[in-house]
Amino acid sequence: MKFYYSTLVVALVLPALTMAAHWKSPFLKSWKEAQDECADYLRLTDETVERYEKHGYPDEHSTHKLIHCILVTVNAWNEDTGVKDYVIKNFFYPSPSDTCYVNRTHECLCETVSPLPRHSQLKRAHKSFLCYYRNYGNIVSEGQFVPYSDEEREENFERTYAIVNVPRCSLEEIAKGNALEVKEFPEIAFTYTVRTGFYEPENGVHRDRVFTNFGIPEILSEKTSCCEASVRQQYCEEPARVFQTFKQCYASFLPTLGTAQEVAKELLEKPVPSPPCTSCGGPAPCKSCPHSIPRHHPRPCYNGQCY
């Protein structure tokens, strides 16, 4: 967790629809942008990268490092399980007349990647990429949605709790696993999904992005699509619409509630400053007040000062 909101106080409140109108995903990146970024990290010249492209990314150690970096940068690689098919395929466009590209790609992965030792990450990444590069389709030029890491999703939840100004008692309920019963959770759901680009009030859930982030087949199922359409007909106002969409259609298989619970637990473990009051929730006594104020006239007081 990189951000610390000890008081969970909102610093800036924007109208919900204004937020949606001005939101722009910071996680769209093209293959070329990722390649240029990694070339800078690895100190590769433009001429070197052009040579790699011209020769189909040859079997060289520096090429292995470049491809591994790109896959990590677009979050299409897992050091334990290898390439994420549901992410990397977004960067390729298959020919409409090709009906065998999926089978060819998977056969290539089984034949060329599976036999490699698990610790040979650079070679495994390079071979995996070549399977898609040679079998799946052409690299697309448009930017694609880059999945959030677990840490980034936690940071987004922590920021969301601060924006919504979730009180400690509600955080305690979320930490117990009762998020869906917390009165602030509709606002939490709306703010979080709009901030992350998973939801647009006008169009509903951005299902292809959610799938790219989690790779769970149920996200793209007909059942989920019908569920969302039904909820959008029943609920016309936000945040009830997005809350019910999540609760009825997605909560059972997405890890979102677990992330919300873990972040709430971490926030509750952080120290909370003592309130500037003589008693919890009460104002501090005034130390001095102008003599012109009537003796029994009530005056607002904060932190020992009269106003």
Side-chain angles (χ1 to χ4, degrees):
M1 305 290 290
K2 298 179 181 178
F3 298 94
Y4 179 25
Y5 298 91
S6 59
T7 58
L8 293 179
V9 175
V10 178
L12 179 63
V13 178
L14 297 176
L17 293 181
T18 301
M19 278 176 48
H22 293 284
W23 179 89
K24 182 179 180 181
S25 173
F27 285 87
L28 294 179
K29 185 171 291 189
S30 69
W31 183 269
K32 187 180 186 308
E33 288 172 337
Q35 180 171 276
D36 291 344
E37 181 180 337
C38 286
D40 289 340
Y41 296 154
L42 301 173
R43 300 176 299 282
L44 300 175
T45 65
D46 292 342
E47 292 74 19
T48 299
V49 175
E50 289 175 4
R51 179 175 66 83
Y52 291 163
E53 292 178 334
K54 182 179 179 180
H55 293 88
Y57 298 92
D59 190 5
E60 301 175 11
H61 182 66
S62 57
T63 316
H64 298 173
K65 293 176 65 177
L66 175 65
I67 294 300
H68 179 262
C69 175
I70 295 172
L71 294 182
V72 171
T73 299
V74 299
N75 202 359
W77 182 257
N78 183 291
E79 296 292 336
D80 295 322
T81 59
V83 69
K84 300 178 183 178
D85 173 77
Y86 54 91
V87 178
I88 192 174
K89 68 180 184 181
N90 294 337
F91 292 91
F92 294 89
Y93 180 74
S95 171
S97 61
D98 188 352
T99 59
C100 300
Y101 63 93
V102 173
N103 289 339
R104 286 200 314 273
T105 302
H106 288 172
E107 288 175 4
C108 176
L109 291 171
C110 291
E111 294 174 1
T112 65
V113 179
S114 296
L116 293 174
R118 184 67 62 181
H119 64 272
S120 299
Q121 297 293 341
L122 300 185
K123 288 185 178 181
R124 290 174 62 84
H126 179 250
K127 291 289 187 182
S128 297
F129 163 73
L130 289 182
C131 286
Y132 286 87
Y133 186 65
R134 294 172 178 174
N135 298 285
Y136 204 93
N138 296 319
I139 294 178
V140 299
S141 58
E142 296 82 9
Q144 302 298 314
F145 179 74
V146 177
Y148 295 97
S149 66
D150 291 344
E151 293 76 15
E152 288 166 336
R153 290 194 300 111
E154 289 176 359
E155 289 170 6
N156 272 313
F157 254 113
E158 188 171 352
R159 285 182 179 272
T160 296
Y161 287 152
I163 292 171
V164 178
N165 194 22
V166 181
R168 187 176 182 85
C169 57
S170 294
L171 283 178
E172 290 172 349
E173 288 302 309
I174 296 173
K176 294 176 184 176
N178 302 324
L180 294 177
E181 283 71 52
V182 171
K183 67 177 182 178
E184 294 86 4
F185 204 77
E187 288 290 347
I188 292 171
F190 182 84
T191 303
Y192 174 81
T193 54
V194 170
R195 278 179 54 82
T196 53
F198 291 144
Y199 183 78
E200 296 174 354
E202 299 83 0
N203 304 312
V205 177
H206 216 311
R207 293 203 296 156
D208 58 342
R209 288 182 178 175
V210 179
F211 178 74
T212 296
N213 211 105
F214 301 105
I216 301 173
E218 287 87 343
I219 295 169
L220 300 180
S221 70
E222 186 68 22
K223 178 181 178 181
T224 301
S225 178
C226 292
C227 175
E228 183 178 350
S230 175
V231 170
R232 289 185 68 81
Q233 288 181 347
Q234 296 177 54
Y235 297 88
C236 300
E237 300 293 331
E238 300 291 2
R241 172 180 271 185
V242 68
F243 171 67
Q244 292 296 332
T245 299
F246 171 73
K247 180 180 179 180
Q248 297 185 38
C249 310
Y250 293 91
S252 63
F253 54 80
L254 287 182
T256 307
L257 290 176
T259 303
Q261 182 178 17
E262 289 304 312
V263 174
K265 288 180 180 179
E266 291 187 26
L267 286 174
L268 290 171
E269 291 174 356
K270 294 179 178 179
V272 179
S274 300
C277 310
T278 53
S279 62
C280 185
C286 292
K287 296 179 181 179
S288 62
C289 292
H291 295 293
S292 60
I293 300 176
R295 178 175 297 179
H296 300 294
H297 184 70
R299 299 288 288 174
C301 175
Y302 178 75
N303 223 18
Q305 300 296 321
C306 296
Y307 296 97

